[in-house]
Amino acid sequence: MHTDVNINIPGRNLIATVYIFDKDGFLKNKLLKSGNDQNELDSTKFVTVITDNINYLKNELEYYRIKKVELDRNNVWTFATLLPYSASSLFTGNMTPISPIANIFYLFHYIIIYSIGIGIFLHFLIININSLIKNSNI
């Protein structure tokens, strides 16, 4: 552990930096603590710096959890997002079901997607064959 004190010129506050290294000497983290005077920073305990950073990170985590819930609530599957997802799952290894129920849903997913694909192919094939028959009779 190493601590140094720097003067933050724009705010006229002092900043103490606590560097945390591992046993091999690699820098693991750098924690900052600001204060109004040198005595305040000198009397600051390492535990308070860690506790302040833990509380800050907990508040940030809670903020991001709330934002994630809001984003998930507003994220609705639409045809434009569902179709490419379904098509890409057929030809890539993105979906690998683990449980038996997931395998059953996976099988139904493949049956439905292949049925739709074969239906579309046959529809256009029949239209082309009909147009070829009509053109050959003329």
Side-chain angles (χ1 to χ4, degrees):
M1 214 174 72
H2 172 74
T3 306
D4 63 2
V5 178
N6 299 321
I7 296 177
N8 183 5
I9 300 296
R12 299 282 188 220
N13 288 335
L14 298 175
I15 297 177
T17 307
V18 178
Y19 299 96
I20 302 173
F21 298 92
D22 64 1
K23 291 179 183 177
D24 299 326
F26 293 108
L27 180 65
K28 288 304 220 179
N29 204 349
K30 182 171 80 169
L31 306 175
L32 301 173
K33 175 72 176 167
S34 62
N36 294 328
D37 61 355
Q38 182 70 34
N39 292 332
E40 180 184 345
L41 293 177
D42 287 341
S43 65
T44 301
K45 306 263 189 227
F46 179 68
V47 175
T48 59
V49 175
I50 294 287
T51 307
D52 290 345
N53 279 282
I54 287 173
N55 291 334
Y56 170 75
L57 291 174
K58 282 181 181 178
N59 291 337
E60 287 293 310
L61 179 62
E62 186 61 29
Y63 170 77
Y64 285 113
R65 281 185 180 155
I66 291 170
K67 286 297 180 184
K68 184 183 180 314
V69 168
E70 289 176 9
L71 288 174
D72 289 343
R73 191 178 313 127
N74 294 331
N75 188 7
V76 178
W77 284 99
T78 61
F79 180 74
T81 58
L82 186 60
L83 184 63
Y85 174 77
S86 296
S88 71
S89 67
L90 295 176
F91 307 114
T92 62
N94 291 342
M95 290 176 51
T96 53
I98 297 174
S99 69
I101 296 293
N103 277 312
I104 292 170
F105 282 118
Y106 194 60
L107 174 69
F108 285 133
H109 175 261
Y110 268 106
I111 290 171
I112 291 169
I113 296 299
Y114 279 125
S115 299
I116 291 171
I118 290 170
I120 291 171
F121 174 74
L122 289 176
H123 171 73
F124 286 114
L125 183 66
I126 290 170
I127 289 174
N128 286 333
I129 289 174
N130 283 339
S131 66
L132 288 174
I133 291 172
K134 288 180 183 178
N135 289 337
S136 67
N137 288 338
I138 294 178

